[in-house]
Amino acid sequence: GEYYVEVTDNCLNQTAYDTVIVTVPEYEPINLSATPDIVVECPNIGQYLNVEAVGGTGNYQYTWTNEEGTVVSSLDSVFISPMASTFFVINIADECGTSATDTIFYEVTSPPLEVTTSPTVYLCPGESTLISALAFGGLGSYSYYWPHSGETSNQVWVSPFSTSNYQVEVSDDCGTFSVFASIQVVVVKPDANFTVISDPVTENLPVSFQNLTTNGYAYQWFFGDGGYSDQIHSTHTYDTPGIYQVTLVATDSKGCVDSITIPVQIFREFYIYIPNAFIPNGDR
């Protein structure tokens, strides 16, 4: 537009004027052309989303955001590989603040692949148990792989001696991804232990044994001379001095067993004779 300005002073009442022409460029609106909506059968198929823009002042700023609103790219393209149906938004802005927006929908027609596993198992060391995985959803048939053994069935036998986690990898006919699941097998057992608390430990006197077992439920004592007891804490009398292998077998509430054997030395019984009368000259 044309702008006219006129100035008059107070002394001579003279007037001066000028004309200013202001040119405002007229840009075409920003128009963008983006990758059309995508429909795929399998998830996790990587591909690029692209956009082209015309109009505006140029020098565009690109902002790609995902369904959660997170910025995933600031270029004119973005590489995606969604695991489920979703959408992406592209916003283009120029130097004057003019912008245009488009949304690209990405649809995965197959349902999500999911895996359920057998629950946590509790067993004794070395016992065997069958663990399993069951897949559903996805596309077509399923493939199972157990890394610890290389087996490819959905059920495997395991016999751990300590608590272990077993992982299974499952894929479907898409073959574009795998789902992982884990099953815990907890090995439980008592921890058998005991100590001798008698002092002295001699023949013909009761020897006391203190049970220090953890997680125990029932007990068996074997004293090394044929003696036996099923008490929690026990005592035993030895008739002959010597070294005896004392064994404690502990069983927990699930029937798991642990044992410990400790050598126990039994000393000979001794006496100290103290006379209660004497004759000074030693005659009698």
Side-chain angles (χ1 to χ4, degrees):
E2 184 177 278
Y3 296 86
Y4 176 82
V5 57
E6 182 180 282
V7 180
T8 302
D9 67 3
N10 289 328
C11 295
L12 302 177
N13 198 30
Q14 293 180 335
T15 300
Y17 62 89
D18 199 2
T19 300
V20 178
I21 298 176
V22 178
T23 301
V24 178
E26 296 182 4
Y27 295 105
E28 293 292 330
I30 297 177
N31 288 304
L32 57 85
S33 176
T35 301
D37 294 341
I38 299 171
V39 178
V40 295
E41 190 174 42
C42 297
N44 200 37
I45 298 177
Q47 52 190 296
Y48 282 94
L49 303 182
N50 301 287
V51 65
E52 293 182 0
V54 295
T57 64
N59 297 323
Y60 303 118
Q61 294 180 339
Y62 302 90
T63 304
W64 293 89
T65 55
N66 59 17
E67 185 176 359
E68 290 76 30
T70 302
V71 176
V72 293
S73 177
S74 57
L75 304 175
D76 61 355
S77 65
V78 59
F79 182 80
I80 60 168
S81 56
M83 292 297 296
S85 297
T86 185
F87 64 85
F88 296 87
V89 176
I90 173 61
N91 178 270
I92 298 179
D94 65 8
E95 294 173 322
C96 291
T98 303
S99 63
T101 299
D102 195 7
T103 300
I104 302 171
F105 291 93
Y106 186 103
E107 181 183 359
V108 179
T109 58
S110 62
L113 175 62
E114 300 182 57
V115 180
T116 60
T117 61
S118 51
T120 299
V121 182
Y122 297 85
L123 48 73
C124 302
E127 287 186 346
S128 296
T129 186
L130 185 66
I131 58 176
S132 62
L134 180 64
F136 58 94
L139 178 70
S141 58
Y142 308 115
S143 299
Y144 299 87
Y145 177 71
W146 301 85
H148 76 278
S149 63
E151 294 173 89
T152 56
S153 62
N154 73 312
Q155 294 181 320
V156 295
W157 285 94
V158 295
S159 304
F161 283 88
S162 60
T163 297
S164 303
N165 289 294
Y166 296 94
Q167 191 176 65
V168 61
E169 178 183 350
V170 182
S171 58
D172 61 7
D173 281 348
C174 284
T176 56
F177 69 104
S178 295
V179 174
F180 295 87
S182 183
I183 304 171
Q184 186 179 52
V185 178
V186 180
V187 174
V188 295
K189 71 178 185 67
D191 186 11
N193 194 16
F194 71 90
T195 187
V196 179
I197 60 175
S198 293
D199 186 20
V201 183
T202 59
E203 59 178 326
N204 298 320
L205 289 178
V207 179
S208 297
F209 298 91
Q210 183 177 9
N211 192 336
L212 303 177
T213 299
T214 56
N215 300 322
Y217 178 76
Y219 306 95
Q220 293 177 296
W221 296 89
F222 300 91
F223 298 109
D225 63 347
Y228 169 83
S229 173
D230 60 2
Q231 301 298 310
I232 297 177
H233 306 285
S234 188
T235 60
H236 184 67
T237 301
Y238 291 90
D239 298 330
T240 306
I243 297 177
Y244 296 87
Q245 301 295 324
V246 179
T247 299
L248 171 61
V249 179
T251 305
D252 66 11
S253 59
K254 297 182 180 297
C256 301
V257 177
D258 188 35
S259 65
I260 185 173
T261 299
I262 298 176
V264 176
Q265 185 170 6
I266 305 300
F267 295 94
R268 184 176 300 278
E269 186 178 18
F270 60 90
Y271 298 93
I272 299 176
Y273 175 72
I274 302 175
N276 57 10
F278 67 93
I279 298 174
N281 60 8
D283 290 343
R284 302 185 182 188

